[in-house]
Amino acid sequence: MKIIMLGAPGAGKGTQAKMIAETYKLPHVSTGDIFRANIKNNTELGKEAKTYMDKGELVPDELTVRILLDRVAQDDCKNGYVLDGFPRTIPQAEVLDSELDKLGEKVDFAIDVEVPDENIVRRMSGRRACLKCGATYHIVHIPPKKEGICDACGSELVQRDDDKEETVKNRLSVYHQQTQPLIDFYDNKGVLKTVDGTKDSAEVFEDIKRILG
Ligand code: ADP
Ligand code: AMP
């Protein structure tokens, strides 16, 4: 099963993708996590990606597509995956489509997690992330058991550099311009499913399970 998570930054894509991955035994593939791991390890890829991420802009398609295709070519992705944060532009979606086409495969579900812009800034300012395993928390809505420590792997939680209010506003505007058109793109392919992302995260996941079966 190949699943794509759509939605604004902070809509809860990562939170839901993790739950889907666990329940359906699929790898969770997040381009943002891959970039952040590269930044942490000070790689050339990380240095280049950071210049865009810090401004709330998208990393260029060419670079992003390359790392994504490398990742999904790995063995654990053979039976499917949950893509979180990719595609973010129409050209990215087209490359994914044509690569899948070559294999006689396709995207099965594009799940759009809908959350109005007003809620997003609040969510992002409370977001805390684990850079080691990619788990995400919220200081009020989804707190870790021990403050500042990841439940899943025990590492220290951090506030992401790009979760500052000004950067979040730019990311939202980039989302509306470049990513939102993907909703129509996947609707036209008949695989779009929409969930109300303002509900409690467990309820959102129940809605997603009903869709995936
Ligand atoms: P995205 O991957 O779409 O950028 P995240 O999954 O990281 O979003 O969620 C953004 C923030 O909102 C995080 O702090 C997360 O814990 C919190 N969050 C996720 N889902 C919900 C929800 N349904 N209700 C309230 N807060 C949520
Ligand atoms: P995320 O963790 O999904 O919120 O992504 C964080 C940042 O990484 C984004 O604001 C972009 O700068 C960059 N990024 C992640 N995925 C992509 C993508 N598919 N295309 C371009 N940039 C991306």
Side-chain angles (χ1 to χ4, degrees):
M1 189 155 55
K2 294 181 190 65
I3 304 167
I4 287 177
M5 305 305 292
L6 296 176
K13 299 183 296 297
T15 302
Q16 296 301 325
K18 280 244 175 241
M19 292 197 259
I20 296 171
E22 232 164 75
T23 304
Y24 293 86
K25 308 276 177 267
L26 294 170
H28 168 208
V29 175
S30 155
T31 37
D33 282 353
I34 297 174
F35 289 138
R36 279 184 291 277
N38 275 276
I39 293 172
K40 200 171 168 216
N41 295 327
N42 218 6
T43 68
E44 285 307 313
L45 169 69
K47 281 183 212 158
E48 182 168 0
K50 187 170 164 50
T51 61
Y52 299 96
M53 291 168 76
D54 281 352
K55 289 184 274 188
E57 286 166 12
L58 296 184
V59 176
D61 285 342
E62 201 192 81
L63 185 62
T64 308
V65 162
R66 184 153 44 85
I67 63 138
L68 187 277
L69 293 182
D70 278 356
R71 177 65 189 91
V72 297
Q74 287 170 22
D75 233 27
D76 62 330
C77 290
K78 255 198 332 252
N79 296 320
Y81 38 78
V82 192
L83 294 189
D84 159 20
F86 185 99
R88 260 185 163 97
T89 64
I90 296 278
Q92 290 180 12
E94 285 171 341
V95 174
L96 178 65
D97 243 34
S98 73
E99 289 298 315
L100 288 175
D101 210 37
K102 285 183 205 162
L103 303 168
E105 294 172 4
K106 64 176 192 56
V107 168
D108 299 293
F109 298 98
I111 301 174
D112 180 30
V113 184
E114 271 190 337
V115 175
D117 285 8
E118 305 84 90
N119 303 22
I120 295 285
V121 178
R122 202 168 347 121
R123 281 199 185 181
M124 307 284 249
S125 60
R127 169 154 67 183
R128 295 294 179 271
C130 174
L131 296 183
K132 184 150 181 241
C133 75
T136 302
Y137 302 86
H138 189 283
I139 51 176
V140 179
H141 306 303
I142 309 177
K145 291 195 183 79
K146 186 160 182 270
E147 197 185 318
I149 302 292
C150 178
D151 291 350
C153 76
S155 300
E156 202 180 330
L157 300 175
V158 296
Q159 179 158 32
R160 280 169 45 174
D161 288 341
D162 58 349
D163 279 351
K164 289 190 289 266
E165 190 169 332
E166 271 320 296
T167 317
V168 168
K169 286 190 179 144
N170 193 37
R171 288 166 68 196
L172 271 175
S173 113
V174 167
Y175 166 76
H176 290 301
Q177 281 171 29
Q178 302 195 53
T179 308
Q180 212 168 15
L182 292 176
I183 294 176
D184 282 344
F185 180 94
Y186 286 109
D187 198 14
N188 289 335
K189 294 191 178 292
V191 295
L192 182 75
K193 304 284 173 190
T194 305
V195 293
D196 176 358
T198 63
K199 294 183 190 171
D200 177 87
S201 62
E203 284 177 63
V204 180
F205 187 52
E206 286 305 313
D207 292 343
I208 291 179
K209 277 198 292 191
R210 271 192 286 276
I211 290 167
L212 301 179

